[in-house]
Amino acid sequence: MTLLELRDVAAFYGPVQVLEDVSLSVPEGGAVGILGANGAGKTTTLRAISGSVKARGEILFDGKSLIGKRPDQIAALGIAHVPEGRGTLSDLTVRENLRVGAYLRRDTRKVAEDIEYCLDLFPNLRDRIRSQGSALSGGEQQMLAISRAIMAGPRLMLLDEASLGLAPSTAATVYSAIARLRKESGIAMVVVEQNATLAFTVVESATVLETGRNVLTGPTEQLKGMDEIRRAYLGG
Ligand code: ATP
């Protein structure tokens, strides 16, 4: 079953149109990548889904239209956005950040279990549980941002450039945790990445955006074999 469907989505910053015509389909429990150069519209596509930019066209989540809904309404439907730049709360501790992620939930036992799950997925965070967000390294902040999204109990997670600014070994650690999360949780994912090698460890299919349009969409195995993808995104 399709969980998220974008059809002919356009998006605007004030009068400036940034997405022209973007389509995307994410099956229940599936993971889809969005690749593309700087400025292609990857971040804006995630913002259109989570309601933080004005969009036209069709965005259906579990059959319901998201167009015109506020970000808090969309989050409450089960969509968690891990933004570029991470958005962890710097004055709060790691544990407080995790609790903030779960603020809409009443199932306290499951919340406690999910905190344990995050600390198991990211052992660095367990060591830093009483540290303030501002004291964390870039990698730890990224781990915390993903964990906070897990704590919301989402059906769909939007991940924006989770590798950005991280040392290659840290980026690899973060992505192997994302791959594990995907296998164990059944949370569907939209993965925006400049680093296609990392994205391909998680997603089954991907689309390439250029100036706000899809130029290529296909299964990961097919994309990996294409010269243009290898040259532009796989460094070879
Ligand atoms: P990047 O990896 O650089 O974030 P991207 O593919 O995610 O690239 P977007 O951030 O979606 O691209 O940006 C798409 C276009 O929208 C770019 O031309 C960018 O300059 C423009 N843009 C982004 N944010 C704004 C904004 N707040 N106001 C106006 N234009 C914006």
Side-chain angles (χ1 to χ4, degrees):
M1 205 199 91
T2 303
L3 181 62
L4 178 77
E5 180 88 36
L6 275 66
R7 282 193 214 118
D8 307 327
V9 170
F12 305 81
Y13 291 108
V16 182
Q17 182 166 7
V18 170
L19 298 187
E20 297 279 341
D21 187 359
V22 171
S23 296
L24 191 73
S25 185
V26 184
E28 186 97 51
V32 174
I34 304 181
L35 309 176
N38 275 329
K42 305 181 298 296
T43 293
T44 306
T45 301
L46 297 189
R47 288 186 182 146
I49 299 166
S50 65
S52 50
V53 64
K54 205 174 85 194
R56 281 202 213 122
E58 239 183 333
I59 305 180
L60 297 173
F61 179 67
D62 204 15
K64 289 186 274 292
S65 175
L66 301 184
I67 299 276
K69 284 198 168 31
R70 294 188 313 264
D72 60 305
Q73 295 172 317
I74 292 172
L77 291 173
I79 298 181
H81 190 162
V82 183
E84 194 176 346
R86 296 152 197 159
T88 52
L89 301 168
S90 54
D91 293 344
L92 301 187
T93 66
V94 167
R95 189 182 290 284
E96 287 164 345
N97 266 280
L98 296 177
R99 292 205 175 280
V100 168
Y103 78 103
L104 286 172
R105 295 172 59 186
R106 294 289 165 266
D107 46 345
T108 45
R109 185 182 302 166
K110 184 75 174 60
V111 167
E113 274 175 31
D114 284 356
I115 289 180
E116 258 320 293
Y117 181 79
C118 291
L119 299 179
D120 188 45
L121 193 61
F122 296 115
N124 299 50
L125 294 183
R126 192 185 293 281
D127 299 337
R128 306 288 259 145
I129 190 83
R130 289 188 189 82
S131 302
Q132 288 196 322
S134 56
L136 303 180
S137 69
E140 290 164 346
Q141 285 185 20
Q142 186 63 61
M143 294 169 191
L144 181 55
I146 295 166
S147 297
R148 213 172 63 166
I150 294 171
M151 292 310 300
R155 290 174 71 191
L156 173 70
M157 194 177 282
L158 310 175
L159 285 162
D160 198 351
E161 304 268 5
S163 72
L164 196 74
L166 304 185
S169 63
T170 310
T173 302
V174 167
Y175 266 84
S176 71
I178 293 170
R180 181 182 149 199
L181 170 67
R182 194 172 128 40
K183 273 205 211 88
E184 294 176 348
S185 70
I187 298 172
M189 296 182 176
V190 181
V191 179
V192 162
E193 255 305 332
Q194 300 240 359
N195 185 333
T197 307
L198 286 175
F200 286 163
T201 63
V202 174
V203 304
E204 294 97 24
S205 69
T207 190
V208 179
L209 297 188
E210 240 173 65
T211 57
R213 294 171 183 277
N214 308 83
V215 290
L216 192 60
T217 301
T220 302
E221 286 312 313
Q222 182 189 336
L223 295 175
K224 276 182 186 169
M226 295 176 74
D227 283 345
E228 57 209 284
I229 296 287
R230 283 222 283 268
R231 261 193 315 255
Y233 303 107
L234 297 172

